[in-house]
Amino acid sequence: MNIKEILEDLYKIDPSLRNEEAELKKLIDGLVKNKPEAEPDADFKERLKSELLEQIEKKNNKTIPFFIKHRKAIVGAAGIAAALVIVLTFAIGPGLDRFGGSAEYAESDEYYEVSELEDSPAAPTERKRAEKMEAPAIQAAAPESVMAMDKEISSGAPARRDEPDFNTEEYSRIYENAFYKPVDQPLSTFSIDVDTASYSNVRRFLNNGSLPYPDAVRIEELINYFDYDYPQPEGSRPFSLNTELSACPWNDENMLLLVGLQGKSIEFEQIPESNIVFLIDSSGSMQDEGKLPLLKQAMAMLTEQLRPEDRISIVAYAGSAGLVLPPVSGNDKEAVFRALDNLEAGGSTAGGEGIELAYKIASDNLFKNGNNRIILATDGDFNVGASSEGELTRMIEEKREQGIFLTVLGFGMGNYKDSRMESLADKGNGNYAYIDTINEARKVLVEGLSGTMFTIASDVKIQIEFNPAYVGEYRLIGYENRVMDAQDFDDDKKDAGEIGAGHSVTALYEIVPANGVEPSVLRYQERSTTESSAGSGELGYLKLRYKNPGEDQSILSEEPVSSMITDKPSENLRFASAVAEWGMILRKSEHAPEASIERVIKTVQKSLGEDPYGYRAEFLTLLYKTRNLSAASE
Amino acid sequence: MNNKRKDSMLAKTEDLVKEAQKNSSEAFGRLYELYFDRIYRYIYYRTMHRETAEDLCSKTFLKALERLNNFNTKKGSFSAWLYKIASNSVTDYFRSAVRKEHPSDVWEIPSEEDYVVDVHNRIYWEKLKPALMGLPADKREIIMLRIWDELSFAEIARITGKSEASCKMSFGRTLKHLKDNVPLSLYLLFISFTACVNAELINRSL
């Protein structure tokens, strides 16, 4: 702030002030120097931005395509829908004048007299009074009320509660990663993500007969939903690292690089004693068929497997949070079942309080060298405002330092808050799964139990430096909200994803070869041939950082990525690329105009593999549904 | 900033607003980037509490988004419009709290009242309050808009709905009043605070 400028302004009004320059200067200087510190929080800034952009997208989706896109499904409810749209428009209407009015800043002609500073001039008071009368209109603009308005719509058409356009599901806008040139941006850095929620959520959409919202599709979560056949780790590193390069199915001229991490498998019996707190959302919104009963079943399923040395507590939240079951031993399963049975849905959600209490119980019963985890089961419809949400996130970030992990299990539909739940799990060093059926509960809580319940490495970050000699451009597929700044890779304070026992993580890069370079084709040999020509023959250099759970310092692991391309891609790569291509079709990705559902179907038909639980077979049925729905919508 | 650049920026803002009014999320995103920090600080200086400032900042931008189509680029500047919404959010916030008197910002809240100010800024609040609290809200606002928010009088005039001349007049007289009544305490605060910081730095280096 230029003090001189301020002073000059003053002298123009009252030249006599010049005589008091020294004192005025001191005063202004004092005011400037004593300005409170007000650095906005970068995280908050980003969060709010995506929330706002999401609102715009929602608006865009809700105007015309509302009827056109889902014409078939809406036929029965069309009348209601039309009426509701009108109601909504008018409900917002009257509030609009408030700022429309105050936005007209006709320059006031009156010369505003300031004879005595103590005066409280009449004009502002008038204005205040007027504003007071308009107060209800302001309230209607608060973010919570926007949701409330939406909610009225969904409850106004209960028959179509499962129809996406009638609900208040919330998704963060995903901006797809772009192609970068290694010459400009040699480093690609991201945090791993073992969440799988997006897959089950997309499945729910398709099974209900509609294509998912593009922003509900997080490609990395689709890919990571499936198990891959990577080797188990050897040595001290808790996971094995695998890379493979092949041609890109949806673009002949490009290559596809797979980076696969396989976490060490540990039988549940072998994981340390566990202190588990179920935090159960029993609010009114959980009343719907399918939510609470499924939740109870899932929790019972999990309880079945707990061991005598484990400790279980249950906190429920609805209206006000409460400890439903004080900690009991894993032997006392009956007590847990009884407590679960007695849960009833009702009241509004005070999620923040619930989480706070759950963390308190978890830390009161902390197993110092054990596994401490909160399992939050909810539809995510927390009744908290934006600020409390910020506080919630901060609290969770604080608690994770104590070694308490968080698993988020999403239930239900209609008012499902996907973005919020993903971010909670992300901030709370946890994982996030969406439970839409009892089968899914089994996958996450029985087959994947040790992965869901036990973290083997924290803050896992991957950084690849691409070699411009081979790579013209590269694009990370998915992981949009996991991309990190290059310098954050070495910063151990920057949070990243956790990997659970037996979890695998797969990432794909689409690579445009550098001009004039024909990647050498490796047909029948091992990839190790490249190592003799050090420096050349490397597509890039892969660095990986992780922490052993509970430790502050990360461990660095690095290795070169070979530029040898295989014309016999492994089943891992074929299957993962098919899932990615499907994801891009669902996202209507601009980066894969040639993506084809037919090709995806063919590939998957050929790579069903062992598929002991039928996940890949189920995937195939989802592909058929995608094909049919896409054809219908064109 | 030279005038030519300023003009082109204004033109750019106007274009962005028009695009945003057609539901372009990209345009709105850019407007957000242009204004977020300023609006956040504006709110912060008047609430002195991070969570509250974030909450009100969300409300401000959500309102702006909702009412964007009511904003007429010909009738006023977008910046002033946005500040106005922020200002209303602050007023609403203090009004909604159950209080006998309705303060218009944090500077009117007596220390003994139950209001949480961020710890790291508490020293400023406690010390500046005697000076700022004695001022009528609209006059304090002009001081803050000019010195802390670093806005020009033209902008201040648009935000407060007064004429530029009257804003200047108010500003000059308020400063004069402050100089005659509370200059020493403020000056001392500055000195003592810098002294504290220096002492702290010396301690650390030892």
Side-chain angles (χ1 to χ4, degrees):
Chain A
M1 179 96 253
N2 190 344
I3 295 180
K4 240 187 175 160
E5 206 180 296
I6 296 182
L7 287 173
E8 285 307 317
D9 270 348
L10 281 179
Y11 302 151
K12 268 183 221 155
I13 311 163
D14 185 352
S16 72
L17 285 172
R18 212 180 274 275
N19 303 329
E20 301 166 74
E21 177 159 301
E23 279 179 295
L24 278 171
K25 225 172 159 177
K26 249 188 235 171
L27 172 68
I28 298 170
D29 205 42
L31 284 168
V32 170
K33 293 270 168 45
N34 289 306
K35 180 158 92 170
E37 291 161 33
E39 257 329 286
D41 180 83
D43 266 4
F44 166 76
K45 185 175 173 181
E46 276 313 300
R47 269 206 314 276
L48 177 59
K49 186 177 178 182
S50 48
E51 198 179 311
L52 289 162
L53 298 185
E54 195 187 319
Q55 296 264 347
I56 300 179
E57 287 313 304
K58 255 199 217 161
K59 245 200 275 180
N60 286 342
N61 288 339
K62 266 188 179 166
T63 44
I64 300 164
F66 188 98
F67 295 102
I68 297 173
K69 238 168 59 190
H70 295 278
R71 200 181 296 150
K72 231 194 277 174
I74 285 176
V75 169
I80 305 167
L84 283 169
V85 170
I86 292 161
V87 168
L88 176 69
T89 321
F90 281 87
I92 298 173
L96 292 176
D97 283 332
R98 182 178 154 75
F99 294 108
S102 35
E104 293 167 22
Y105 304 108
E107 197 101 304
S108 164
D109 288 331
E110 64 169 346
Y111 189 78
Y112 184 47
E113 266 298 332
V114 261
S115 47
E116 275 177 45
L117 284 162
E118 286 70 32
D119 257 358
S120 197
T125 325
E126 274 311 338
R127 204 174 59 207
K128 262 191 185 170
R129 209 173 289 139
E131 277 173 8
K132 208 167 194 167
M133 290 167 66
E134 286 172 317
I138 313 154
Q139 293 308 325
E144 303 90 317
S145 319
V146 175
M147 282 177 211
M149 255 190 260
D150 278 345
K151 240 171 260 164
E152 277 171 28
I153 300 178
S154 70
S155 54
R160 296 240 58 88
R161 197 180 278 269
D162 54 348
E163 169 62 38
D165 273 326
F166 285 83
N167 65 34
T168 56
E169 298 188 7
E170 289 178 12
Y171 300 96
S172 286
R173 174 77 194 270
I174 297 175
Y175 296 92
E176 283 192 282
N177 292 326
F179 276 100
Y180 293 110
K181 291 188 171 64
V183 191
D184 306 331
Q185 287 210 37
L187 297 174
S188 167
T189 313
F190 65 99
S191 149
I192 62 149
D193 179 6
V194 295
D195 298 346
T196 57
S198 181
Y199 181 87
S200 8
N201 196 25
V202 165
R203 171 176 63 202
R204 187 214 354 141
F205 273 99
L206 293 170
N207 285 338
N208 283 344
S210 63
L211 290 169
Y213 297 127
D215 288 336
V217 182
R218 286 188 292 271
I219 296 179
E220 72 279 14
E221 295 190 16
L222 306 185
I223 296 175
N224 289 329
Y225 181 84
F226 298 96
D227 289 331
Y228 295 88
D229 183 23
Y230 298 125
Q232 273 290 305
E234 288 168 14
S236 62
R237 199 167 61 186
F239 40 76
S240 72
L241 193 51
N242 310 276
T243 56
E244 188 179 344
L245 188 66
S246 81
C248 176
W250 55 88
N251 191 338
D252 297 344
E253 286 161 9
N254 292 351
M255 306 182 282
L256 207 57
L257 171 69
L258 170 144
V259 179
L261 246 63
Q262 174 63 54
K264 194 174 184 167
S265 296
I266 302 175
E267 291 299 313
F268 185 67
E269 290 71 40
Q270 280 157 6
I271 75 171
E273 50 183 1
S274 302
N275 157 33
I276 312 262
V277 180
F278 292 169
L279 173 56
I280 295 178
D281 178 353
S282 54
S283 62
S285 63
M286 292 296 285
Q287 229 154 19
D288 306 354
E289 184 67 33
K291 284 190 192 174
L292 205 53
L294 180 60
L295 182 153
K296 287 181 180 180
Q297 269 177 300
M299 289 309 180
M301 214 181 243
L302 175 63
T303 307
E304 284 285 5
Q305 299 175 84
L306 296 178
R307 307 153 301 178
E309 64 266 35
D310 298 332
R311 215 178 266 169
I312 312 156
S313 341
I314 303 181
V315 172
Y317 62 85
S320 63
L323 181 61
V324 173
L325 178 72
V328 297
S329 130
N331 255 346
D332 203 357
K333 297 193 166 61
E334 275 307 313
V336 182
F337 297 147
R338 265 200 311 276
L340 286 172
D341 263 352
N342 289 335
L343 285 176
E344 274 174 33
S348 70
T349 315
E353 261 173 73
I355 292 189
E356 205 160 345
L357 181 60
Y359 271 109
K360 190 179 173 298
I361 304 285
S363 59
D364 286 351
N365 294 286
L366 202 73
F367 283 138
K368 223 170 168 205
N369 296 311
N371 174 37
N372 300 287
R373 187 173 290 270
I374 290 172
I375 301 195
L376 167 61
T378 177
D379 59 7
D381 193 7
F382 292 115
N383 196 7
V384 293
S387 81
S388 331
E389 202 176 326
E391 266 171 76
L392 205 66
T393 319
R394 267 189 279 280
M395 184 183 78
I396 287 177
E397 280 171 336
E398 204 181 290
K399 301 289 179 185
R400 72 171 181 225
E401 304 299 332
Q402 305 178 355
I404 299 169
F405 294 94
L406 177 72
T407 292
V408 179
L409 301 178
F411 288 86
M413 55 190 80
N415 53 355
Y416 188 61
K417 310 294 184 239
D418 176 74
S419 47
R420 192 176 293 168
M421 312 240 286
E422 197 212 0
S423 135
L424 278 184
D426 185 19
K427 295 277 164 25
N429 278 356
N431 41 42
Y432 166 37
Y434 178 74
I435 311 283
D436 54 346
T437 62
I438 198 70
N439 271 337
E440 190 60 26
R442 191 168 294 122
K443 178 177 190 284
V444 176
L445 299 172
V446 181
E447 289 137 30
L449 181 67
S450 33
T452 309
M453 298 288 279
F454 188 61
T455 301
I456 54 167
S458 312
D459 291 346
V460 185
K461 304 169 189 171
I462 294 178
Q463 184 168 69
I464 303 184
E465 182 184 346
F466 285 101
N467 180 358
Y470 292 94
V471 179
E473 286 176 33
Y474 64 87
R475 183 176 98 83
L476 174 61
I477 300 172
Y479 292 90
E480 276 82 2
N481 43 21
R482 305 283 165 157
V483 170
M484 304 179 83
D485 289 339
Q487 71 267 22
D488 290 347
F489 180 73
D490 291 320
D491 185 346
D492 282 351
K493 288 199 188 75
K494 296 285 177 200
D495 183 47
E498 277 59 49
I499 184 165
H503 274 159
S504 69
V505 177
T506 302
L508 294 173
Y509 281 93
E510 184 174 347
I511 291 177
V512 182
N515 277 342
V517 173
E518 280 292 315
S520 42
V521 173
L522 182 76
R523 274 175 201 276
Y524 306 112
Q525 306 164 44
E526 285 301 313
R527 266 173 274 162
S528 56
T529 42
T530 51
E531 278 162 22
S532 54
S533 51
S536 70
E538 285 179 13
L539 184 83
Y541 197 67
L542 194 158
K543 292 204 278 186
L544 194 141
R545 276 196 184 278
Y546 67 95
K547 292 176 193 157
N548 287 320
E551 289 178 9
D552 293 336
Q553 214 164 12
S554 67
I555 301 166
L556 177 69
S557 179
E558 43 197 340
E559 56 185 67
V561 182
S562 161
S563 64
M564 287 293 171
I565 186 164
T566 170
D567 68 344
K568 290 247 184 320
S570 68
E571 192 179 295
N572 289 339
L573 199 156
R574 272 186 292 138
F575 190 80
S577 71
V579 181
E581 190 171 353
W582 173 58
M584 288 190 287
I585 293 169
L586 293 176
R587 284 199 49 76
K588 303 185 171 54
S589 169
E590 53 170 324
H591 296 295
E594 303 289 311
S596 133
I597 191 76
E598 295 302 337
R599 178 174 46 234
V600 176
I601 289 173
K602 264 187 209 142
T603 313
V604 172
Q605 278 169 340
K606 276 187 242 155
S607 37
L608 287 177
E610 269 190 35
D611 199 23
Y613 303 109
Y615 300 135
R616 294 187 180 200
E618 182 196 50
F619 176 43
L620 198 54
T621 66
L622 293 184
L623 292 176
Y624 296 137
K625 285 181 183 167
T626 308
R627 178 175 63 187
N628 299 342
L629 287 165
S630 310
S633 72
E634 266 160 23
Chain B
M1 202 184 294
N2 66 37
N3 279 340
K4 219 171 181 182
R5 229 182 101 202
K6 208 165 178 178
D7 280 352
S8 78
M9 205 179 117
L10 281 177
K12 214 173 99 192
T13 310
E14 207 170 291
D15 291 343
L16 284 176
V17 172
K18 279 182 188 150
E19 280 305 302
Q21 284 176 332
K22 291 178 206 149
N23 283 341
S24 153
S25 53
E26 201 205 323
F28 193 84
R30 286 174 63 188
L31 286 171
Y32 178 85
E33 290 295 341
L34 277 176
Y35 288 102
F36 174 85
D37 287 11
R38 290 201 255 164
I39 293 295
Y40 175 83
R41 292 203 180 97
Y42 171 91
I43 294 173
Y44 188 87
Y45 295 143
R46 286 148 184 87
T47 55
M48 298 286 277
H49 184 246
R50 183 168 136 174
E51 263 85 35
T52 309
E54 290 184 351
D55 191 12
L56 297 181
C57 206
S58 311
K59 287 191 171 140
T60 301
F61 279 99
L62 276 161
K63 270 181 211 172
L65 176 59
E66 269 175 40
R67 285 138 206 251
L68 194 62
N69 283 327
N70 278 49
F71 171 71
N72 185 341
T73 42
K74 289 202 182 74
K75 283 192 179 165
S77 89
F78 178 71
S79 140
W81 182 72
L82 204 56
Y83 272 105
K84 187 71 200 163
I85 299 179
S87 149
N88 285 336
S89 301
V90 173
T91 316
D92 292 340
Y93 171 74
F94 284 104
R95 188 188 293 141
S96 68
V98 186
R99 294 177 201 283
K100 272 179 249 130
E101 302 291 325
H102 289 309
S104 40
D105 61 28
V106 68
W107 303 100
E108 276 180 9
I109 298 177
S111 306
E112 62 275 12
E113 253 201 61
D114 187 22
Y115 180 88
V116 186
V117 168
D118 283 337
V119 180
H120 68 282
N121 277 325
R122 190 150 190 106
I123 177 170
Y124 296 125
W125 188 60
E126 288 292 345
K127 296 266 174 132
L128 277 173
K129 210 153 27 94
L132 296 179
M133 200 177 173
L135 301 174
D138 57 322
K139 299 188 171 73
R140 180 174 57 243
E141 180 74 3
I142 292 176
I143 294 286
M144 287 164 71
L145 284 170
R146 180 74 187 115
I147 296 182
W148 286 354
D149 298 306
E150 300 183 22
L151 297 175
S152 70
F153 280 112
E155 286 169 299
I156 295 173
R158 289 202 206 96
I159 294 167
T160 56
K162 295 175 179 147
S163 74
E164 213 175 308
S166 83
C167 287
K168 282 184 183 168
M169 181 66 83
S170 161
F171 182 74
R173 293 198 181 176
T174 312
L175 275 189
K176 201 161 183 273
H177 167 87
L178 284 176
K179 179 186 67 68
D180 293 340
N181 292 282
V182 277
L184 196 62
S185 65
L186 201 61
Y187 180 60
L188 281 181
L189 162 65
F190 170 50
I191 299 287
S192 62
F193 187 70
T194 354
C196 286
V197 171
N198 286 342
E200 175 69 26
L201 286 176
I202 293 164
N203 275 341
R204 263 188 230 164
S205 63
L206 294 174

